[in-house]
Amino acid sequence: MKKIKRKVSTQKSVKNPMKQKFIFVTGGVVSSIGKGLTAASLGALLEARGIKVTIMKFDPYLNVDPGTMSPFQHGEVYVTEDGAETDLDLGHYERFTSAIMTRSNSVSTGQIYDTVIGRERKGDYLGGTVQVIPHITDEIKARTFEAAQGSEVIIVEIGGTVGDIEGQPFLEAIRQMRDEVGMGNSVLVHVTYVPYIAAAGELKSKPTQHSVKELRMLGLQPDFLVCRSEKHLDESLKKKIALFCSVKPEHVIGAQDSSTIYEVPMALHKEKLDELIAAHLNLEGETPDLRGWIKTVKTIKNPARSVRIGVVGKYVDLKESYKSLHEAIVHGGLANDCKVEVVYVDSEKLNDKIISQALGDVQGILVPGGFGTRGVEGKISAIKYAREKQIPFFGICFGMQLAAIEFARNVCGIKDATSREFIGENARGNLVIDFMFEQKSQTQKGGTMRLGSFPCDLKPGTKTHQIYRENRIQERHRHRYEFNNKFKDLFLKRGLVAAGLCKERNLVEIIELPDHPWFIGVQFHPEFKSKPLAPHPLFTQFVKASLQRKSAFELLPKNKVEKISRDTIKKESRKSILV
């Protein structure tokens, strides 16, 4: 297993830090205001001007990383190439730009304090009193300079809301940095909310004024205000906000709600945010090329066709839990000029008796990653339904493991087939899914799974090999359990193929059913590498297979839908892979 070194102290100063320009993004009034999307969209616009950009996120919580947090608490955990478990905003950063995120791009209060206290225990401070200023703020600045290396501009998002007590050290560090690098080398963008009061029929600027007042009390004056709102901000309101917040009227940027997140870069460009920031920082760049974004939004708003895909999971009440997955499905639709209606199905409420009612009107079924026993049997019922009804199926990580268990139970006749995760460390049984060797001695939960990018060799002639058109791929992982190779030969005899292997570890990474229109399970998370301008091939082909099923069924009378020949769908599926 590739060993990921734990991040060590960044106290050593970085040489020539002035080579980079700094854009700081803060948020006010309410949480979830859109700081991450603003940062990502600004990064996309600067990249379109030919400027090399990176983006980082400071999270004020005390957790070292979000890896042990419930998705209901924090949304999805986004995994970087080097195996860091990070905030979902890093997914926006990678989807909107070409920057590759690493553990340096995601820093929490927990990491900062862990480093400083560890240094104090070693005696590095020579008996001095360790304080928030300068020790914590110095570490925050050092992390910022470290993440900035290799880029012309670094965009730094500060999580939380101005006024939160846990965010104050980060804002103080920004204040210090702006003095150190110079106001001409840094920009402060404050994202606020301008609420619309329906009873009065007016947009109200007072919350924005108070939010800026909070910043000023901390010694920070924003250069730009990005004002989120339900309604359009007219020029008179912009001038009022500018007057009370001491910013130029043209620096008050309207950010009315968009119908799709991929419209945000163009909306901010229309307000000239990228042009004004580039001028402020004296950045030389090209005329931005936004043709890809224009085409993306056009396809989303005017698709040629549509398809319904069921996502069977247990975190369906909070869609942010599957953020990257949802966006990757959308990207698959973009590649097919298609609108994908994602139907979220609660696996805890699912069983064989109601499966046809819950999933009868979808053309594809996807079972995503997850942990624990809750909702497992519902997911297995969905997989069985997809396999037997010849519905395109895509299993990701946990979904791939459950597909193997379902196949063992219902095709191989191993009725007690299960996973080590479900029965405990010491229990015995037909463990189709078991611990990886190095996981057997692990006692801690945080940061101890198989994390990050690993190679996978594809078996020639398989559907997966035809989809990727490569012999070896690299994909990101986040799991503790693996397919048990003791069952590989039996599965092959019964028709399930190991289409991808990590040869260095002899681990099964991909399974597929050749005798099925589209049935693929992958141990990795392909959604983390999908972008609107470069959809992941697995999602592209999964959506295409679902469209083909829909087309085939639309040609049949309703009473013959269940009797459709699987050969018809398989034939079309083979054609689509080669297109």
Side-chain angles (χ1 to χ4, degrees):
M1 179 179 178
K2 181 173 69 174
K3 190 173 182 179
I4 303 295
K5 291 184 178 180
R6 183 186 171 123
K7 189 172 182 68
V8 295
S9 167
T10 55
Q11 187 180 25
K12 295 180 180 179
S13 61
V14 177
K15 294 181 180 179
N16 302 319
M18 290 298 295
K19 288 183 178 180
Q20 290 83 29
K21 307 284 188 176
F22 299 84
I23 301 173
F24 300 103
V25 179
T26 59
V29 184
V30 294
S31 59
S32 301
I33 194 68
K35 300 184 302 297
L37 278 173
T38 299
S41 298
L42 182 54
L45 291 172
L46 293 177
E47 268 199 354
R49 289 175 169 269
I51 298 167
K52 190 172 184 181
V53 173
T54 191
I55 315 177
M56 77 177 300
K57 172 80 180 284
F58 281 114
D59 275 303
Y61 50 70
L62 286 172
N63 303 64
V64 172
D65 60 43
T68 57
M69 292 188 197
S70 165
F72 289 119
Q73 288 274 325
H74 195 260
E76 79 165 359
V77 175
Y78 188 81
V79 179
T80 61
E81 284 286 298
D82 61 350
E85 295 176 289
T86 71
D87 183 81
L88 62 81
D89 276 327
L90 270 77
H92 290 314
Y93 305 162
E94 286 203 333
R95 283 188 286 273
F96 278 65
T97 72
S98 61
I100 303 298
M101 298 295 107
T102 68
R103 59 186 62 248
S104 296
N105 296 86
S106 178
V107 179
S108 71
T109 295
Q111 292 176 30
I112 298 292
Y113 274 83
D114 183 54
T115 298
V116 172
I117 292 172
R119 195 178 297 139
E120 184 274 333
R121 291 289 83 189
K122 293 178 183 177
D124 289 355
Y125 296 114
L126 302 175
T129 301
V130 180
Q131 297 176 296
V132 173
I133 303 172
H135 301 96
I136 296 299
T137 52
D138 280 354
E139 183 65 18
I140 293 170
K141 290 187 290 183
R143 300 286 183 117
T144 306
F145 285 123
E146 180 190 32
Q149 297 310 294
S151 65
E152 295 176 74
V153 174
I154 179 169
I155 302 170
V156 183
E157 178 193 351
I158 308 297
T161 307
V162 170
D164 295 343
I165 190 169
E166 60 265 32
Q168 289 185 9
F170 297 101
L171 297 175
E172 168 60 20
I174 289 176
R175 186 193 67 77
Q176 294 177 22
M177 282 193 69
R178 297 206 71 190
D179 285 339
E180 292 169 8
V181 305
M183 293 299 177
N185 293 309
S186 67
V187 168
L188 177 55
V189 178
H190 189 54
V191 185
T192 76
Y193 183 57
V194 181
Y196 176 74
I197 308 301
E202 288 182 317
L203 289 164
K204 293 295 184 180
S205 65
K206 194 64 68 178
T208 293
Q209 295 176 37
H210 281 288
S211 184
V212 172
K213 181 182 177 182
E214 286 279 351
L215 271 178
R216 284 173 166 176
M217 290 172 65
L218 297 169
L220 290 168
Q221 169 63 46
D223 301 297
F224 293 84
L225 295 175
V226 175
C227 300
R228 289 287 312 278
S229 63
E230 296 176 40
K231 305 288 185 178
H232 174 71
L233 265 68
D234 60 29
E235 290 302 315
S236 62
L237 184 57
K238 286 184 178 181
K239 289 179 180 179
K240 179 182 178 180
I241 292 172
L243 176 64
F244 281 93
C245 298
S246 297
V247 300
K248 297 177 181 178
E250 62 267 28
H251 287 193
V252 178
I253 308 299
Q256 186 177 348
D257 292 349
S258 299
S259 58
T260 167
I261 61 174
Y262 301 120
E263 195 172 13
V264 176
M266 289 188 298
L268 295 180
H269 176 67
K270 186 178 180 181
E271 293 279 308
K272 299 184 178 180
L273 178 62
D274 54 317
E275 179 183 334
L276 292 166
I277 286 181
H280 181 99
L281 294 174
N282 196 26
L283 292 169
E284 296 182 2
E286 308 160 2
T287 302
D289 181 1
L290 301 178
R291 286 175 296 178
W293 294 103
I294 293 170
K295 181 180 178 182
T296 294
V297 173
K298 182 179 179 181
T299 302
I300 289 174
K301 291 188 173 183
N302 302 287
R305 45 197 174 167
S306 65
V307 70
R308 288 168 60 89
I309 289 177
V311 174
V312 182
K314 63 180 180 180
Y315 305 122
V316 294
D317 290 333
L318 182 65
K319 303 301 186 295
E320 295 288 90
S321 301
Y322 300 117
K323 186 60 180 176
S324 291
L325 178 75
H326 183 96
E327 296 307 321
I329 296 172
V330 171
H331 304 162
L334 287 171
N336 289 283
D337 195 8
C338 161
K339 176 185 177 182
V340 181
E341 182 183 351
V342 181
V343 181
Y344 287 96
V345 180
D346 189 343
S347 60
E348 290 189 84
K349 300 175 182 178
L350 205 57
N351 57 54
D352 289 338
K353 294 181 180 179
I354 64 169
I355 193 76
S356 59
Q357 178 183 349
L359 295 172
D361 61 348
V362 302
Q363 289 85 46
I365 296 174
L366 190 152
V367 176
F371 298 92
T373 58
R374 188 162 55 86
V376 161
E377 295 305 321
K379 293 177 183 179
I380 290 176
S381 291
I383 295 167
K384 179 184 177 184
Y385 183 77
R387 181 179 56 79
E388 292 182 343
K389 300 296 183 182
Q390 301 291 296
I391 302 171
F393 168 78
F394 195 4
I396 295 176
C397 195
F398 196 48
M400 174 267 203
Q401 295 176 0
L402 294 180
I405 291 172
E406 189 280 327
F407 189 83
R409 289 181 183 178
N410 299 313
V411 178
C412 300
I414 308 172
K415 297 301 180 183
D416 62 343
T418 188
S419 167
R420 173 72 67 189
E421 186 174 2
F422 307 155
I423 64 174
E425 295 182 17
N426 300 317
R428 295 185 178 182
N430 281 306
L431 298 172
V432 175
I433 307 297
D434 203 353
F435 272 132
M436 289 182 285
F437 177 77
E438 68 275 7
Q439 292 291 327
K440 294 180 180 179
S441 59
Q442 286 289 353
T443 57
Q444 291 189 331
K445 297 292 185 185
T448 58
M449 289 185 281
R450 188 184 185 212
L451 294 165
S453 182
F454 293 88
C456 174
D457 291 285
L458 303 181
K459 185 175 181 179
T462 60
K463 188 180 268 88
T464 313
H465 184 262
Q466 293 172 335
I467 289 171
Y468 275 98
R469 300 183 183 183
E470 295 182 34
N471 294 323
R472 171 168 273 215
I473 59 173
Q474 290 277 152
E475 293 284 2
R476 301 181 194 179
H477 293 249
R478 184 177 183 249
H479 57 99
R480 201 178 300 276
Y481 303 88
E482 279 279 0
F483 180 85
N484 189 339
N485 284 329
K486 294 178 181 178
F487 294 88
K488 193 192 303 185
D489 291 340
L490 175 61
F491 276 32
L492 181 60
K493 289 180 182 177
R494 296 301 177 93
L496 188 143
V497 175
L501 298 174
C502 178
K503 290 185 176 180
E504 289 82 355
R505 298 283 311 282
N506 193 28
L507 300 174
V508 174
E509 303 281 48
I510 306 172
I511 59 174
E512 66 176 62
L513 284 174
D515 194 26
H516 189 283
W518 211 96
F519 191 103
I520 294 175
V522 297
Q523 184 61 80
F524 45 81
H525 287 269
E527 68 270 27
F528 292 150
K529 298 185 77 169
S530 186
K531 300 171 184 278
L533 304 185
H536 194 286
L538 284 176
F539 285 95
T540 297
Q541 294 300 330
F542 174 57
V543 172
K544 181 169 276 191
S546 302
L547 278 167
Q548 287 162 353
R549 178 178 176 84
K550 180 183 180 182
S551 298
F553 274 42
E554 286 175 344
L555 297 174
L556 293 175
K558 288 185 178 180
N559 63 341
K560 292 185 179 181
V561 165
E562 289 295 329
K563 296 181 181 180
I564 184 172
S565 168
R566 70 184 179 190
D567 292 333
T568 301
I569 304 175
K570 282 177 66 179
K571 183 178 179 181
E572 292 300 315
S573 181
R574 285 199 194 98
K575 284 182 184 178
S576 72
I577 292 172
L578 299 175
V579 171

